[in-house]
């Protein structure tokens, strides 16, 4: 397969990530002091190959989603849902509560996509109600 990139990408200005995985927890939606919504969540992405034990390993990738996409994510996705995202890798430095300098690498998401239909999602089992069969035209 041959892929042709524009000169802009050839000059080292390409930072694009496409991932499909499962949410490991419900998205956490917050609002910044300036009123902008931001959601954070982690997805598990299976690796292409199995390990020596024949098991498929996963990478856990933190996502940051802004504005309307954040609201969409928090309204329609929950733990266990498959999701597709497009974004870019960002590294940021911060100081923890103990004063230690930390570095975080995360994907800043531009696009959020459904990967499975409602019928593909695992259904929560509802308690089964007993039927008294009183409307049956015959006796049991």
């Amino acid at each position: 397969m041959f892929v042709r990139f524009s000169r802009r990408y050839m000059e080292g200005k390409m930072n694009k990530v496409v991932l499909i995985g499962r949410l490991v927890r419900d998205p956490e939606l917050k609002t910044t002091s300036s009123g902008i919504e931001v959601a954070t969540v982690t997805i598990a992405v299976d690796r292409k190959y199995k390990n020596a034990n024949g098991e498929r390993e996963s990478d856990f990738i933190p996502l940051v989603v802004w504005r309307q996409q954040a609201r969409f994510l928090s309204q329609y996705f929950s733990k266990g849902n498959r999701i597709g995202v497009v974004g870019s890798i960002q590294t940021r430095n911060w100081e923890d509560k103990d004063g230690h300098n930390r570095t975080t690498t995360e994907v800043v998401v531009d696009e959020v996509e459904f990967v499975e239909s409602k019928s593909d999602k695992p259904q929560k089992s509802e308690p089964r109600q007993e039927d008294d069969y009183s409307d049956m035209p015959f006796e049991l």
Side-chain angles (χ1 to χ4, degrees):
M1 181 170 103
F2 178 75
V3 178
R4 175 178 267 185
F5 292 109
S6 69
R7 178 177 292 278
R8 180 176 73 131
Y9 295 126
M10 299 295 283
E11 293 173 355
K13 297 179 183 177
M14 183 176 184
N15 179 357
K16 188 165 192 158
V17 177
V18 179
L19 299 168
I20 295 176
R22 288 198 182 275
L23 273 65
V24 298
R25 61 179 168 80
D26 289 340
E28 183 178 335
L29 182 67
K30 294 182 179 179
T31 304
T32 66
S33 58
S34 58
I36 298 171
E37 291 179 318
V38 59
T40 56
V41 72
T42 299
I43 63 171
V45 178
D46 289 339
R47 293 185 179 172
K48 188 174 183 178
Y49 302 101
K50 295 179 181 178
N51 64 18
N53 297 328
E55 300 167 340
R56 205 172 288 279
E57 295 179 0
S58 297
D59 293 302
F60 296 87
I61 301 170
L63 307 178
V64 178
V65 188
W66 293 91
R67 297 178 175 80
Q68 293 88 357
Q69 292 290 332
R71 165 79 46 198
F72 175 75
L73 175 71
S74 67
Q75 284 181 337
Y76 297 105
F77 290 87
S78 59
K79 179 181 177 179
N81 289 152
R82 286 190 52 164
I83 186 172
V85 296
V86 177
S88 58
I89 294 177
Q90 174 180 293
T91 302
R92 62 183 171 87
N93 299 312
W94 52 281
E95 189 175 297
D96 68 13
K97 64 182 179 182
D98 299 324
H100 298 105
N101 291 328
R102 303 287 183 189
T103 301
T104 300
T105 301
E106 55 205 3
V107 173
V108 178
V109 175
D110 299 318
E111 301 172 38
V112 175
E113 299 287 336
F114 290 106
V115 177
E116 62 189 354
S117 68
K118 285 185 179 182
S119 62
D120 292 339
K121 293 179 188 176
Q123 300 295 318
K124 293 180 182 175
S125 59
E126 296 180 16
R128 190 168 177 223
Q129 296 180 358
E130 291 296 321
D131 193 345
D132 67 359
Y133 300 106
S134 61
D135 60 343
M136 298 297 258
F138 53 87
E139 287 188 40
L140 293 174

